[in-house]
Amino acid sequence: MARLYQHRNGSNPGFTKTYDVKKLVRFEILDGMPSAIAREKQLKRWHRDWKINLIEQDNPHWVDLAVGLGFPPLPNP
């Protein structure tokens, strides 16, 4: 939740801040930080099409899942 808050507010430098990525379209719950880091590294090596297919398996309309976790909806562009 803290990491999601950081992404939504652009408080950490990196890809999400540079490209203004704020919408949560997929997440996984893992056993702990080592598992999460390993999964993130694995996904970073995937092709873009594979990542899109992974998202669309569970969220075909790219709905912002953060709203269901208690975050306010993002303003419309």
Side-chain angles (χ1 to χ4, degrees):
M1 294 300 283
R3 190 78 167 130
L4 179 54
Y5 177 82
Q6 292 168 349
H7 285 305
R8 296 281 274 212
N9 292 299
S11 58
N12 280 355
F15 181 90
T16 56
K17 184 173 182 178
T18 301
Y19 294 98
D20 199 29
V21 177
K22 296 186 177 181
K23 191 181 216 184
L24 178 68
V25 294
R26 186 170 195 289
F27 66 92
E28 295 179 24
I29 298 174
L30 300 165
D31 292 335
M33 204 53 144
S35 298
I37 291 169
R39 180 64 171 157
E40 186 174 351
K41 287 181 179 181
Q42 178 187 40
L43 292 175
K44 282 184 178 184
R45 291 190 302 265
W46 282 21
H47 297 283
R48 181 178 175 84
D49 289 342
W50 298 356
K51 295 174 191 177
I52 290 170
N53 287 336
L54 186 63
I55 292 165
E56 291 183 345
Q57 284 177 7
D58 296 324
N59 191 357
H61 300 291
W62 293 61
V63 173
D64 186 4
L65 303 176
V67 174
L69 296 172
F71 286 82
L74 294 169
N76 290 329

